Amino acid sequence: VLCTVVEGVHELLGPHANFLAISAQEPQLFAERLVRILTQPELALELGASLRDRAERNFSLDRMIEHYAQLYAGPGALLAR
């Protein structure tokens, strides 16, 4: 995932956000990062695996249900965790 900076993207990309989320005002940097990812397959694989793992751990349906259940259980449930 190579993208421009928008709300929520840093949360999704985690530690890779500074590399993968580029300001829309920096098209040259965006192009450079894209070329780097396309010409370095090991980098692309590493980023892909890391981001997939992050997505599965933090943004799965089960995780979302868990968060909503805690939210509806009230403030005490969030603090007890």
Side-chain angles (χ1 to χ4, degrees):
V1 175
L2 186 64
C3 60
T4 56
V5 176
V6 294
E7 187 176 339
V9 78
H10 281 85
E11 179 186 1
L12 288 171
L13 299 177
H16 301 295
N18 290 335
F19 181 77
L20 296 172
I22 311 297
S23 168
Q25 282 69 45
E26 297 185 86
Q28 182 64 36
L29 180 58
F30 190 95
E32 290 170 7
R33 296 278 169 83
L34 180 59
V35 168
R36 186 170 171 195
I37 291 169
L38 292 174
T39 59
Q40 296 181 16
E42 64 283 347
L43 174 63
L45 288 171
E46 178 185 327
L47 289 170
S50 177
L51 291 170
R52 180 181 178 141
D53 180 61
R54 179 174 175 74
E56 289 174 347
R57 278 185 292 111
N58 297 309
F59 304 105
S60 69
L61 179 59
D62 288 340
R63 186 77 167 166
M64 182 182 70
I65 291 169
E66 177 184 325
H67 281 253
Y68 275 111
Q70 290 174 353
L71 178 67
Y72 287 117
L78 291 174
L79 296 175
R81 186 159 203 244

